[in-house]
Amino acid sequence: MVKGNATRANRVSYGEFGLQALEGGWLSAESIEAGRITMSHAIRGEGRVFIRVFPHKSITAIPAETRMGKGKGEPEYWAAVVKSGMILFEVSGLPEAAAREALAKVAYKMPFRCRLVSRLAGTT
Amino acid sequence: MSEPIVLQTEKREGTGSRKAAKLRKAGKVPGVLYGHKETTVSFSVDHDQLVALVKTGARVIDFTYETAAEKAQIMELQYDYLGKDILHVDLKRVSANERITLKVRVDLRGIAPGASKGVLDQPLHTLNVECSAISVPDSIKVNISELQLGQSIYVKDLTLPPGVKVLDDPDAIVVHVTTPDLEPAAGAAAESAEPEVIRKAKAEAEAEEK
C-alpha cells in the first residue's frame, strides 16, 4: 500500500472526464495496458484518451523454491506508483454518458477503487 | 453576464491549521479577503453556501462582513486531494469600474459535423480574459455546429461579449477536429509501455567476478 494522498496529478487536466484512484498502490504495466485496450474498445475510435500514469518503477522478485541469499531478484514487472486521488485515465470528445460507460469498464480492470470525475465547475 | 451574488460571512477568530480544521469540522470554510491596500480580513463561510455559489460559475461576488459590504473576486479555491471539499477561499477586493484579468471557461455549443469522421479535440478549456469587474462572462461560448474534419477554431475567431478582451495568443487553437490516430497493435503497445532493462548476461557477470 502506498501511503499519502496525491498533491499533484489529482485534477482532470487534458480531457473532460477522468478516472480517479481512491486508494494507493502499484499499478502494473499490464493493468495500464488492459485499461487502455478496454478504453479503446469502449469508445470505438471516437474521442481521445489520455493515460496519466507511467510504469517507472521496476518490481523485483525471487523465483519460487530458491534458497535465501545470492543477491537481489531480477525485475519481474514494471509498475506506476499511484497515490490516493491520482487521475489514471482521461477522456475527451465524448458525451458524458459514453465517457461514464467507458471509464466504468476501465475501472473494473484497475486493482483499486476508482471514481469518475469531471472538470471542476467554477475552478477555472 | 452573471448577476451579483451575495456571500454571507462571519468573523473568524484566530488563525492556524487547528482553528481551520475545527471550522471545517463544523461545516464552515475559512477564507481571507485582501486587496486595495486595506486591512486583510479573515472570515468563515458556510460550506454548502460556498459550494452552491461556486457551482453557479460566479467569479465576482458581493461580500458581506459584519456591517460592511463590498465587491470581491474569487481568486483561489483550495480543494482537498480528491477535489470534493473546499478547504479555503481567497477573495480580492475589486471596484465596479476596475478591469480585472481572470480565466473563463470555454463552452462548446452544438455538434460538430466533422466529429463523426474524426476526433473533436479541445486544447484550450479556459481563456485568460480582461474585462470589467461587474460584467464577467460566465463562459465564452463557441459555436462548433459548422466545424468540419480538419478545421480549427482559433482564439482570433471567437465572438466575445462586449468589453471582454482575450489575452491568449490569437493563433492558439481552441477546438479542432482531427483525424483519429490509428490504433497500434496491442502487443506493440504493451512492449513500448515498459522501459527496457539493460543488464549483463549472467554468464558474462560470473566471468567478470572470476
Side-chain angles (χ1 to χ4, degrees):
Chain A
M1 179 65 93
V2 174
K3 286 183 182 177
N5 302 323
T7 54
R8 56 183 186 169
N10 55 355
R11 298 282 180 272
V12 178
S13 303
Y14 301 97
E16 281 112 40
F17 302 97
L19 190 68
Q20 188 177 44
L22 297 175
E23 293 166 341
W26 290 340
L27 184 62
S28 68
E30 283 78 14
S31 297
I32 298 171
E33 180 61 10
R36 189 194 66 79
I37 291 169
T38 308
M39 177 70 94
S40 57
H41 283 185
I43 65 174
R44 289 182 291 274
E46 288 175 22
R48 196 168 164 197
V49 179
F50 302 89
I51 303 172
R52 296 284 305 272
V53 285
F54 186 84
H56 289 287
K57 188 180 175 72
S58 65
I59 310 297
T60 60
I62 292 176
E65 296 183 6
T66 307
R67 289 184 182 275
M68 290 294 106
K70 306 290 180 198
K72 191 169 168 68
E74 293 296 321
E76 179 105 338
Y77 64 98
W78 293 82
V81 178
V82 173
K83 287 191 170 191
S84 179
M86 274 179 82
I87 304 291
L88 309 175
F89 291 87
E90 285 183 26
V91 64
S92 70
L94 283 181
E96 185 171 354
R100 259 179 202 285
E101 196 184 333
L103 288 170
K105 284 177 180 170
V106 177
Y108 192 73
K109 297 279 180 186
M110 295 294 114
F112 5 77
R113 286 188 302 122
C114 297
R115 72 174 188 135
L116 183 131
V117 284
S118 56
R119 276 182 178 268
L120 292 170
T123 57
T124 51
Chain B
M1 307 292 164
S2 54
E3 291 294 312
I5 295 170
V6 181
L7 185 68
Q8 300 281 354
T9 61
E10 294 166 21
K11 192 178 177 184
R12 178 153 60 100
E13 294 292 344
T15 54
S17 56
R18 284 192 169 194
K19 294 257 168 77
K22 270 188 179 177
L23 275 174
R24 288 181 196 119
K25 215 170 180 180
K28 289 177 179 172
V29 178
V32 68
L33 173 79
Y34 50 81
H36 284 183
K37 294 183 180 173
E38 289 176 32
T39 51
T40 303
V41 174
S42 299
F43 64 89
S44 68
V45 58
D46 183 61
H47 182 268
D48 295 342
Q49 187 200 349
L50 185 64
V51 169
L53 186 147
V54 169
K55 276 186 180 170
T56 61
R59 309 302 301 279
V60 175
I61 55 163
D62 285 338
F63 175 85
T64 60
Y65 178 77
E66 293 178 336
T67 54
E70 47 197 330
K71 279 205 178 301
Q73 180 191 356
I74 300 174
M75 291 301 286
E76 192 185 353
L77 289 164
Q78 279 181 30
Y79 282 85
D80 66 344
Y81 72 101
L82 289 173
K84 273 182 173 175
D85 297 326
I86 299 173
L87 301 180
H88 190 270
V89 57
D90 270 24
L91 300 178
K92 186 184 173 188
R93 290 185 184 96
V94 288
S95 51
N97 54 359
E98 193 177 331
R99 283 186 76 80
I100 56 172
T101 56
L102 72 166
K103 283 185 174 177
V104 174
R105 195 165 44 88
V106 174
D107 192 7
L108 301 184
R109 291 293 171 101
I111 296 168
S116 56
K117 295 168 198 161
V119 175
L120 184 73
D121 190 20
Q122 189 186 353
L124 274 181
H125 287 271
T126 58
L127 290 170
N128 291 303
V129 301
E130 185 190 304
C131 59
S132 168
I134 50 164
S135 59
V136 178
D138 295 336
S139 61
I140 304 289
K141 289 168 185 66
V142 181
N143 185 9
I144 58 164
S145 55
E146 288 172 14
L147 198 64
Q148 298 290 345
L149 182 67
Q151 287 184 337
S152 308
I153 294 176
Y154 297 90
V155 170
K156 60 188 175 192
D157 303 332
L158 298 177
T159 313
L160 300 169
V164 176
K165 184 183 163 194
V166 178
L167 304 174
D168 288 308
D169 180 13
D171 293 323
I173 294 173
V174 179
V175 59
H176 58 162
V177 180
T178 56
T179 48
D181 295 334
L182 289 173
E183 182 70 18
E191 275 173 27
S192 63
E194 290 187 10
E196 192 189 342
V197 186
I198 302 167
R199 62 181 169 212
K200 292 175 183 175
K202 203 175 182 182
E204 202 179 300
E206 277 174 10
E208 258 181 36
E209 275 175 27
K210 283 173 190 174

